[in-house]
Amino acid sequence: MAKVVVVTSGKGGVGKTTSTAALGAALAQSGERVVVVDFDVGLRNLDLIMGAERRVVFDLINVIQGDAKLTQALIRDKRLENLMLLPASQTRDKDALTGEGVARVIAELRESFDWVLCDSPAGIERGALLAMHHADIAVVVTNPEVSSVRDSDRIIGMLDSTTERAERGERIEKHLLLTRYDPARAQRGDMLSVEDVLEILSIPLLGIIPESQEVLRASNVGSPVTLNAPVSAPARAYSDAVRRLRGEIVEMTIPSDKIGLVARLFGRRVA
Amino acid sequence: MNGFLSFFRKRPTANLARERLQILLSHERASAGQEGLVNTLREEILAVIAKHIHVNRDQVQVKVERHGEASILEIDVTMPVHRMTLPT
Ligand SMILES: Nc1ncnc2c1ncn2[C@@H]1O[C@H](COP(=O)(O)OP(=O)(O)OP(=O)(O)O)[C@@H](O)[C@H]1O
Ligand SMILES: [Mg+2]
């Protein structure tokens, strides 16, 4: 049975697109058939983070409006054959995304994939609501910072009230993905700690992604961080998160780039 | 010595962030809950009215107004008299 996952946050710029790409690639690496869908109509970026920007021909809106078939719009990843991208359109017409159209596309994607990952736009408007509407699972991306936590709380409320599952009286699985975390600053008491955020939002923790320059480096070259720098701290954190998504029980750690460096040097010497 | 140093050290701020969030969110969750309650009330009141009268959704208005300590629930129904069917 296919699982539809929305990667959402309310607040902008907290790491939704980065996380969608990294989780999608890590899921595909573990053998699952994965499609990542960009719902950020007008501000598409997932294509760029995935390194597929020059291969976009048709997009989600073209499929919804019947100008292209789903198979024409899907872009296969160059590195992983079981990873696909459905890009967003650059149109400024937000009404192009219809509830009925989205329902049709998601239903069709469920047929051919194990995982459908939806990269939500920021905000609590139509686009964000449509991105979460068909989700079975929500990954709530949050930075350890007051405005991000507040917006996540708002999004959690909407997940529980406006989604298809909520309307059917079913529960939607919600997970917290804490990103851009800096353990040293939290230790000093200058940043909300993991415990603080968990206590406030009270949803289960999927993973802690440390702040790392590897994320920017990966975006520069257009490759999800889990593929571009697999032993880096954020990549290991995303891979652990994916194992948890697949139901494995994995000890919660905050990977550090320093350990990663040691492991890399060590690995090289052995080889 | 400790006191002298801490005079120069910036005080940790995460505790304050957590406390402010806890207070703010307890308010925001309560008002979101009330919004949900009003929506439920509107749907159920509409259903009851529809059993007896033909009304459009926009002819029934339900709102809650805060007046200090108390809240007032206002239900406003525009009834088309000629189409009213009497309850049996
Ligand atoms: N763990 C991290 N360490 C360092 N930088 C990060 C990390 N995660 C994300 N970033 C950076 O934060 C910025 C925003 O990330 P991203 O585009 O993924 O956010 P978003 O939530 O999708 O934004 P939007 O709401 O605009 O769609 C990017 O510059 C990205 O490189
Ligand atoms: Mg984004």
Side-chain angles (χ1 to χ4, degrees), chain A residues 1-7 37 39 60 64 97-110 116-118 126-138 158-159 162-168 170-173:
Chain A
M1 255 278 277
K3 288 193 169 142
V4 178
V5 181
V6 62
V7 180
V37 185
F39 270 86
L60 177 61
I64 283 179
L97 208 57
T98 64
E100 180 271 324
V102 170
R104 200 159 26 83
V105 170
I106 296 286
E108 209 174 327
L109 290 173
R110 274 185 197 270
V116 180
L117 263 58
C118 305
R126 229 175 107 70
L129 292 181
L130 283 172
M132 68 168 70
H133 196 73
H134 302 280
D136 305 305
I137 302 172
M158 306 188 94
L159 286 165
T162 70
T163 53
E164 193 181 37
R165 274 184 171 249
E167 283 167 3
R168 287 203 305 256
E170 292 171 15
R171 277 176 51 80
I172 173 163
E173 213 181 286

Side-chain angles (χ1 to χ4, degrees), chain A residues 16-17 40 119:
Chain A
K16 292 178 293 296
T17 302
D40 208 343
D119 180 18

Side-chain angles (χ1 to χ4, degrees), chain A residues 12-18 20 38 40 43-46 49 119-122:
Chain A
V14 295
K16 292 178 293 296
T17 302
T18 302
T20 306
D38 193 346
D40 208 343
L43 289 169
R44 80 163 171 236
N45 272 322
L46 190 55
I49 299 303
D119 180 18
S120 174

Side-chain angles (χ1 to χ4, degrees), chain A:
Chain A
M1 255 278 277
K3 288 193 169 142
V4 178
V5 181
V6 62
V7 180
T8 184
S9 69
K11 188 172 161 65
V14 295
K16 292 178 293 296
T17 302
T18 302
S19 299
T20 306
L23 295 172
L27 269 170
Q29 270 180 312
S30 65
E32 310 268 347
R33 294 171 302 167
V34 182
V35 60
V36 290
V37 185
D38 193 346
F39 270 86
D40 208 343
V41 171
L43 289 169
R44 80 163 171 236
N45 272 322
L46 190 55
D47 55 336
L48 204 51
I49 299 303
M50 300 285 294
E53 70 279 7
R54 287 167 56 183
R55 296 198 289 143
V56 176
V57 182
F58 296 112
D59 57 52
L60 177 61
I61 300 295
N62 293 140
V63 177
I64 283 179
Q65 296 185 336
D67 299 331
K69 288 206 207 93
L70 187 55
T71 47
Q72 293 177 293
L74 287 171
I75 304 169
R76 191 181 298 279
D77 188 83
K78 289 183 300 239
R79 298 143 297 210
L80 295 169
E81 61 157 22
N82 51 335
L83 175 61
M84 301 267 228
L85 163 72
L86 182 55
S89 116
Q90 286 289 54
T91 176
R92 290 173 60 189
D93 176 16
K94 300 275 175 194
D95 293 334
L97 208 57
T98 64
E100 180 271 324
V102 170
R104 200 159 26 83
V105 170
I106 296 286
E108 209 174 327
L109 290 173
R110 274 185 197 270
E111 304 275 305
S112 346
F113 294 93
D114 302 314
W115 295 84
V116 180
L117 263 58
C118 305
D119 180 18
S120 174
I124 52 170
E125 314 286 305
R126 229 175 107 70
L129 292 181
L130 283 172
M132 68 168 70
H133 196 73
H134 302 280
D136 305 305
I137 302 172
V139 172
V140 180
V141 181
T142 307
N143 291 167
E145 173 267 322
V146 283
S147 51
S148 173
V149 174
R150 179 199 210 170
D151 292 358
S152 291
D153 192 73
R154 189 82 190 276
I155 281 290
I156 290 169
M158 306 188 94
L159 286 165
D160 285 331
S161 60
T162 70
T163 53
E164 193 181 37
R165 274 184 171 249
E167 283 167 3
R168 287 203 305 256
E170 292 171 15
R171 277 176 51 80
I172 173 163
E173 213 181 286
K174 300 179 293 286
H175 299 277
L176 177 69
L177 189 65
L178 196 56
T179 58
R180 310 201 69 163
Y181 193 70
D182 186 335
R185 291 175 73 190
Q187 183 72 39
R188 286 199 300 271
D190 285 334
M191 185 184 257
L192 287 167
S193 68
V194 179
E195 294 74 26
D196 289 338
V197 181
L198 278 176
E199 187 188 326
I200 294 167
L201 295 179
S202 54
I203 58 172
L205 185 60
L206 184 66
I208 307 160
I209 316 299
E211 172 80 19
S212 163
Q213 55 187 22
E214 287 300 334
V215 172
L216 185 62
R217 289 168 50 84
S219 73
N220 286 340
V221 299
S223 173
V225 71
T226 38
L227 294 183
N228 195 54
V231 292
S232 69
R236 282 181 289 140
Y238 278 120
S239 299
D240 280 358
V242 154
R243 287 169 62 195
R244 294 185 192 103
L245 258 187
R246 299 179 72 209
E248 271 182 65
I249 295 177
V250 183
E251 193 199 346
M252 191 62 69
T253 59
I254 311 171
S256 151
D257 268 330
K258 293 190 187 90
I259 296 167
L261 183 65
V262 171
R264 256 204 311 273
L265 290 175
F266 186 66
R268 232 176 249 152
R269 206 180 302 149
V270 168

